[in-house]
Each structure stands twice: as C-alpha cells, then as structure tokens.
Amino acid sequence: MSPDTAPADSAATEAGEPRSAAKHCAAAAALFARARAIYPTLSSRAVDQGEYRRCLDWAHLHLRLAEAITSGAGVVYAHRHLLANPDVRLHDTYVSGETQEWNEYFESQHNATRRSA
C-alpha cells in the first residue's frame, strides 16, 4: 500500500468519499479504531510501523477536514444571520465572497445531480 492511499477498511471506502463533517469524523473514528487494534501487536518492522502511522495520519486529515467544513458552515450561518438583521451594516467586508465559496462547496457536495455531471 503506498503512503498516499488510505487503509482499505476505512469508513471512506465503505461508504464512498466522505462529504460531510459527520462522515469525516466517522472515517477518523474507524481509522483510530484500526490503529488501536494494530497497536498491541505493533512490531519494530517498518511495514507495521508504517501502517500504524498511516492510520493516524489519515485520521488526522479527516478530523482537519471535518473542522474546516464545520468552520465554513459557521461562517455561512453567521453571515446569513447578520444579513437578516437590518440593524447590522456590513461595510466592505469580504465575508460575502467567502460564504459564496462555502455555499458552492456545500451545494456540490450534497447535490447528486451536479456530482454525476
């Protein structure tokens, strides 16, 4: 298995690519469980060490992606909340551009017709 590939039994391969923060957290949990299962029999062989390290690295990546998605959703929510409040004036902020990018990302992740095109 190359260092650039995820372990074969990760949640990402079982249910397609994770597209939500929750699915990334589930994928991380599956990888942490695999690492926990590997740990008691971990030897000093490079292949064993590599598989253990790969599980932890991929789990870390999934957690970071979940964190980024959650943060993006928070930015979108906060921006919409501010736009709905007539007492708040958003002077020359670039939040609109950022929220537009996040909205497009979320739409592409959850719109099956766009993904298949």
Side-chain angles (χ1 to χ4, degrees), residues 63-100:
L63 289 178
R64 295 298 304 265
L65 288 169
E67 179 182 30
I69 290 169
T70 303
S71 295
V75 168
V76 169
Y77 174 77
H79 186 244
R80 287 185 179 174
H81 180 71
L82 290 172
L83 287 175
N85 185 346
D87 296 332
V88 176
R89 294 183 58 182
L90 298 175
H91 296 285
D92 294 333
T93 62
Y94 297 102
V95 176
S96 293
E98 185 67 24
T99 57
Q100 179 181 351

Side-chain angles (χ1 to χ4, degrees), residues 12-35:
T13 56
E14 292 172 9
E17 277 192 45
R19 296 193 178 273
S20 68
K23 287 185 180 178
H24 280 290
C25 286
L31 288 163
F32 281 131
R34 180 177 168 95

Side-chain angles (χ1 to χ4, degrees), residues 29-51:
L31 288 163
F32 281 131
R34 180 177 168 95
R36 192 176 317 118
I38 291 171
Y39 186 77
T41 60
L42 195 60
S43 69
S44 60
R45 290 184 3 189
V47 67
D48 294 336
Q49 294 287 327
E51 180 64 14

